[in-house]
Each structure stands twice: as C-alpha cells, then as structure tokens.
Amino acid sequence: MAHDYRSIMENVKTKKSAGNGPQRRKAAPRPKSVYSHAELSEIFRRFSIQRPEPKGELEHVNPFTLVVAVALSAQATDAGVNKATRALFQVADTPEKMLDLGEEKVRDYIRTIGLYRNKAKNVIALSRMLVERFGSEVPRTREELILLPGVGRKTANVVLSMAFGQATMAVDTHIFRIANRLLLAPGKTPDEVEDRLIRIIPDEYLYHAHHWLILHGRYCCKARKPECERCVIADLCKSPEKTCDVPAPLVELPPQLFGPTP
C-alpha cells in the first residue's frame, strides 16, 4: 500500500492538470461576491507565491493513517494529534493492524486527545468497515468515505485532497472564519461556505485553495486578533475588522515552515 500511495502522490500534479478532481458545480450561477474576479485571482496568486506547495500538517504514511488522523483532529490541534499518532502509526498503519491492537490499546495511545474514548471506538469501527466492506482500501469517493464511523464531509474532503489529489474544499474552523471575516464567501454553515468557495475560486487555484486558506487563518488571520500587518492581501481584504491597508512583502516561505519565522 505504501508503494501505491507514493505513486498516487507523485501523480497528483498530473491529475490536477488533467482535471481529474471533483467537478466544479458549473451549472449553478457564480454567487455574487464583494470581490471581483480579478481581485479573487490576485488574492490566490499571492497565496500561491507565498506557499507554492502548501501541505497539510497532519502526519500520515498512507491513506488509512490519514483518515484516522483527520478523524482524530476534530476539536483537537494538528500538533496534538501528531504527538499521539506517531507511536500509534508505528504499530498500526493498516486497518488489520488497528483491529489487532484493539480499542483499549488505541485509547492508551490517543489519551491526550480530546474525546479520546469515543474517537478510539470510531477508529476501531472504521477499521472494521474498511476491512469488511472495502477490502481494506480507503474508498475514493465522498459518498463512500462518509459511511465510515467518525468521518464527516470535512474529513472526507481532506482525504480526497491529500490522499487522492482531488480539488476539494474542506471547511474547518479556520476556513469558516476566514470566509466570513473577509466576506470572501459568507455563509451560515460549513456546507454553504464550501459551496460558495468552490464556485468563486478561480479554477487554476482551486486545488491548493483549501490549504492556503487554512494556513492563512492559522498563522496570520488568527481567531482572536488578525495580524493584518503580516498579511499579503491586506490591500485587497474587505474585512471590516482589518487594521492595515498595506500588504506585507510577498515572499515565499521556507519549505514546511508555515508559521512565523523564529
């Protein structure tokens, strides 16, 4: 499986250019936005320069461990999940090994994560379903993924993007906040925000947009106090909360270093 996974990820760029991601909902009209198409293109162009190859920060070694990691990340930080799963994935990186480990031992590994008892139960249940229903392979459609215990639409979208190279929009707390704060794609629910973002983001930027927005919300447009002076789109931003109109220098961040430079 590890070999197959590496092959998949090596071909992600080919898939993107071939348009193999989920279909953008072309039939629906583009929603009205406070940003023009040119402004939207410029926003994501700058994000693409700042982070040319953005990556998720959850550690995993194959699609199965990614599903588990994302499911565990609900109401928990990526750093906290990584700390717990490093040892877990060393002994259980397939559904069969996770089942052999058992719920009690899974609980011991993830005890530092919030809601760990229920999450351990879900990890065992989803591992069993993968073995019994999907031949131990992580399914490649959203409809099948959300059948797995503990896997919702957001988790499914993350897996489709990170494991299988599909252009999806997984709306977590950061993206939901950013979309509403910046008036980028305001909505009352994550599904509403997802639908609007997918329809307004220019095609050429859609594949990475999910990670760009998450990282922007995590490290710059923070929940308690946005750091507008560090924002590369400060001049374009239409948020009523912004405190600066001068964009930060547009420079590429060091690889794998998404937060503030020490």
Side-chain angles (χ1 to χ4, degrees), residues 54-60 78 162 211 215 218 256 258:
K55 295 178 175 61
E57 298 182 316
L58 283 173
E59 297 174 5
H60 60 285
D78 287 359
M162 293 179 65
H211 284 130
L215 296 169
R218 181 174 292 163
Q256 303 298 326
F258 300 126

Side-chain angles (χ1 to χ4, degrees), residues 183-213:
L183 306 180
L184 190 63
K188 295 181 179 179
T189 67
D191 285 357
E192 189 176 350
V193 168
E194 176 189 339
D195 179 73
R196 290 183 177 181
L197 283 173
I198 285 177
R199 289 194 281 133
I200 68 168
I201 295 172
D203 288 339
E204 62 269 32
Y205 298 118
L206 186 58
Y207 177 74
H208 283 316
H210 160 248
H211 284 130
W212 283 328
L213 291 173

